[in-house]
Amino acid sequence: MSRQNASAPSETQPLPAAPGPAPRDDSVVLVGLMGAGKTTIGRRIAARLGMKFIDADVEIERAAGCSIADLFAQYGEPEFRKGEHRVIRRILDGPPVVLATGGGAFMDPATRAIVRERATSVWLRCPLPVLVRRVQGRGHRPLLNAGEPRDVLARLMEIRHPIYAEADITVDCGEESVEQSAATVVNALALGGQPRLVPVMLERWRYDVTIGEDLLRHADVLLSPILPQKRVVVVTDSTVEALHLPRLLQGLANGGIEARTIVVPPGERSKTLAEYGRVTGLLLEAGIERGTTVIALGGGVVGDLAGFVAATTMRGLPFVQIPTTLLSQVDSSVGGKTGINTPFGKNLLGAFHQPLAVLADTATLATLPAREIRAGYAEIVKAGLIGDAALFAWCETHGRAVLDGEADIQAEAVRRACAFKAAVVGDDEREERKSDGRALLNLGHTFGHALEAELGYDGRLLHGEAVSIGLRLAFVTSARMGLCDEADVDRVTGHLDSLGLPAHLRDLPWRFSAERLIAHMQRDKKMRDGRLSFVLVRGIGQAFTCRDVPDGLVREILLAEGCAP
């Protein structure tokens, strides 16, 4: 069962549970440190689900005929854990219940195994100051007698949090009311064990990429806990509007979230100053406030435009990405880059603006043409070629299944690519390193952007198709400079060819000029000190930045690919 993450709502009104939760066929086991509220929240969860509530510590004391503190004193912790395991096993052998466990129960491997086998585990994660305040005066807790409560809890967090993180669901509980926290847990349970979670950890920001099917219908569950106010504006394009907007609006309405919609034309023609001005005007006309969240529902174009609108309107509005194409799910929706195009190049006006969350609903991929899926797949391949040779090997094994629409394989592909990008972005959020860092994500882009620019970003060549050709040309350039083996070029080319992705310029129905393509490269925003910047490779999974590529070599390669001079 895969893990989820949720946060308790910040509104004073509790988040309503999903209507009429069906009876569960497994138990719900609450884990977390002392003071997290497992007993009080557990009782409310049980009442909402119509299930029996059991406190494991109470059952242990009843069976032993003495307190937990006495058991620790008489037998020591190792023997206590064995007895605790027997009690929890007995409870989970019975009908489904909501079970609150002691803080150390989940640390025992045998107990963790039985919980994983027979229940859904929920970690109630709570900040240290709140825990300290709640446990003051609890002398009956044996572990608290080992020192100052703050020091004891801090040590326990360091030891236990990595294990608690193995729980199926994580719910953040701090200053929220018991009702709010219980509602968040119940709604997270309603999603089941389907979504995959990729955390994006930045120096001053954190958000999750949630990946799974039918997330639009559960938008209230996933977004209510993090929205500053229950008011959003959805920016989408006319194609996505017909396909997916009704489900999103219904999902938002289920949680009482007021939503307005702004529709833009599909394709790169929306990434212009004119359309940016129109959208910001509509936002301001709607009387938005600084807590109003902009939701981007669509592919990379919608995400880039809506993100730039959110970044600049009222000096910054909250922002949520809901990407509906494979390309945007694995690439543009993660990392906070936003922007629009100019006649001088792609994304030359933009800003870094990190989202509150990314919801990658893989059900939307079923509505995409095969060509769009292939174009998105190129970005997954790119991630492996940059720094994850195992991911590229995974692509060689599972690439066909991704393109054929096997839902679980597609979700895993999105997870792997997002996890790779999250790690790169977390290490260099604003692409400030002079070499390597986030710039590595531009593998294939120097060639690819030049092709797109030459065609005027008119949609004849999809971004992923341009990247696919650029990936091979980056390997060709690396091999010509003696940096990687020709065998690597052949392996990459063979994989792209086998799945019908363009790998050669001759695969395209247009003839290009080498001089014009180089001129586009020289206007690219990755230029530094007047020199072209390339991402090259020393092998598969071994990318690096390079500014020592001779213009003459680039020209030779383009001419060899069939370009006119």
Side-chain angles (χ1 to χ4, degrees):
M1 186 176 292
S2 56
R3 287 174 284 149
Q4 308 170 46
N5 180 279
S7 302
S10 58
E11 301 280 343
T12 54
Q13 288 296 111
L15 173 66
R24 296 188 63 82
D25 57 8
D26 68 343
S27 292
V28 177
V29 174
L30 304 180
V31 304
L33 288 171
M34 62 186 88
K38 299 186 293 293
T39 298
T40 52
I41 294 172
R43 292 186 190 279
R44 303 299 176 89
I45 294 170
R48 282 173 172 260
L49 295 176
M51 298 170 67
K52 181 181 179 181
F53 173 76
I54 296 177
D55 187 317
D57 283 354
V58 172
E59 290 296 304
I60 292 167
E61 290 180 338
R62 181 181 294 124
C66 62
S67 70
I68 300 291
D70 290 340
L71 288 170
F72 260 74
Q74 185 172 353
Y75 299 105
E77 185 173 359
E79 288 302 314
F80 170 80
R81 296 300 174 201
K82 292 179 183 178
E84 181 180 53
H85 171 76
R86 290 193 295 269
V87 169
I88 290 174
R89 175 184 283 274
R90 172 176 57 78
I91 293 169
L92 295 182
D93 279 343
V97 298
V98 176
L99 175 64
T101 62
F106 203 63
M107 301 299 294
D108 178 69
T111 299
R112 204 158 59 248
I114 197 68
V115 169
R116 184 174 292 113
E117 177 185 338
R118 304 183 187 184
T120 297
S121 53
V122 180
W123 173 22
L124 301 183
R125 183 168 58 188
C126 199
L128 179 60
V130 175
L131 292 177
V132 172
R133 188 175 68 248
R134 289 177 180 174
V135 302
Q136 291 294 340
R138 294 190 184 183
H140 64 288
R141 299 280 186 173
L143 293 180
L144 287 179
N145 297 327
E148 287 295 321
R150 176 176 290 274
D151 295 337
V152 171
L153 288 168
R155 286 196 299 270
L156 289 175
M157 278 184 164
E158 186 176 348
I159 296 168
R160 292 181 177 180
H161 276 196
I163 303 300
Y164 290 161
E166 296 181 21
D168 300 310
I169 297 170
T170 298
V171 171
D172 287 309
C173 301
E175 302 292 351
E176 298 79 12
S177 70
V178 172
E179 283 292 346
Q180 289 170 338
S181 296
T184 303
V185 173
V186 170
N187 285 321
L189 289 166
L191 289 171
Q194 163 202 319
R196 293 162 163 85
L197 183 74
V198 176
V200 182
M201 308 291 290
L202 307 172
E203 185 177 355
R204 294 183 176 86
W205 196 249
R206 181 198 187 280
Y207 59 94
D208 292 325
V209 181
T210 303
I211 305 157
E213 288 191 88
D214 209 19
L215 300 187
L216 296 182
R217 189 164 64 88
H218 295 289
D220 59 325
V221 175
L222 295 162
L223 297 182
S224 286
I226 59 174
L227 295 179
Q229 61 179 208
K230 289 194 172 184
R231 186 182 181 200
V232 303
V233 176
V234 180
V235 179
T236 189
D237 67 38
S238 54
T239 301
V240 176
E241 176 190 22
L243 293 171
H244 306 302
L245 182 62
R247 274 195 307 142
L248 174 61
L249 294 180
Q250 183 58 56
L252 294 170
N254 288 342
I257 300 171
E258 175 193 339
R260 296 195 180 200
T261 304
I262 296 174
V263 180
V264 303
E268 291 281 338
R269 57 185 169 152
S270 286
K271 287 179 58 173
T272 62
L273 269 172
E275 193 63 17
Y276 163 80
R278 186 181 76 88
V279 174
T280 53
L282 290 172
L283 270 179
L284 296 170
E285 184 181 332
I288 59 165
E289 300 173 3
R290 296 195 71 175
T292 304
T293 297
V294 175
I295 296 179
L297 175 69
V301 168
V302 168
D304 284 353
L305 172 65
F308 189 44
V309 166
T312 51
T313 304
M314 300 180 77
R315 295 192 176 91
L317 296 173
F319 177 49
V320 168
Q321 286 268 23
I322 305 184
T324 58
T325 65
L326 184 58
L327 181 64
S328 58
Q329 288 185 1
V330 302
D331 182 47
S332 59
S333 66
V334 180
K337 278 189 176 181
T338 70
I340 57 177
N341 301 334
T342 78
F344 300 97
K346 190 179 177 73
N347 296 326
L348 292 183
L349 293 179
F352 288 95
H353 191 55
Q354 299 294 346
L356 297 174
V358 178
L359 308 184
D361 187 339
T362 53
T364 64
L365 303 181
T367 64
L368 294 176
R371 183 186 174 196
E372 290 274 4
I373 294 290
R374 284 196 299 271
Y377 178 75
E379 288 286 346
I380 302 173
V381 172
K382 182 192 79 173
L385 295 178
I386 290 170
D388 190 346
L391 173 55
F392 182 69
W394 185 91
C395 287
E396 290 177 308
T397 302
H398 299 286
R400 175 52 60 189
V402 174
L403 300 191
D404 288 346
E406 292 188 24
D408 194 59
I409 297 296
Q410 282 185 335
E412 179 62 12
V414 174
R415 185 198 69 78
R416 286 172 177 255
C418 285
F420 174 79
K421 184 166 186 181
V424 173
V425 170
D427 197 44
D428 184 22
E429 178 184 357
R430 294 179 175 266
E431 203 168 319
E432 293 171 331
R433 290 191 179 181
K434 293 184 177 179
S435 62
D436 299 337
R438 186 167 181 167
L440 294 177
L441 297 173
N442 292 313
L443 179 66
H445 282 57
T446 301
F447 287 106
H449 278 175
L451 294 172
E452 290 181 278
E454 179 63 11
L455 294 173
Y457 308 110
D458 60 6
R460 285 180 290 169
L461 180 67
L462 300 178
H463 176 67
E465 293 171 335
V467 168
S468 177
I469 292 173
L471 292 174
R472 177 183 166 274
L473 290 177
F475 270 77
V476 169
T477 304
S478 301
R480 287 286 300 273
M481 294 178 67
L483 299 169
C484 76
D485 294 336
E486 286 289 345
D488 293 324
V489 180
D490 294 341
R491 186 178 168 191
V492 172
T493 305
H495 183 62
L496 297 174
D497 283 341
S498 70
L499 296 181
L501 277 80
H504 305 80
L505 286 176
R506 65 172 177 268
D507 294 334
L508 302 179
W510 313 285
R511 194 172 185 213
F512 298 93
S513 159
E515 293 300 327
R516 287 184 60 85
L517 291 180
I518 291 172
H520 286 302
M521 294 179 193
Q522 290 171 339
R523 288 198 293 268
D524 193 278
K525 60 184 179 296
K526 293 182 287 296
M527 285 280 291
R528 286 199 181 181
D529 301 321
R531 296 186 65 83
L532 284 175
S533 178
F534 285 85
V535 180
L536 300 180
V537 295
R538 296 187 176 91
I540 289 171
Q542 301 176 59
F544 69 101
T545 53
C546 178
R547 294 183 182 85
D548 297 322
V549 181
D551 290 357
L553 175 60
V554 176
R555 186 176 292 102
E556 286 178 22
I557 291 171
L558 291 174
L559 292 174
E561 286 287 309
C563 286

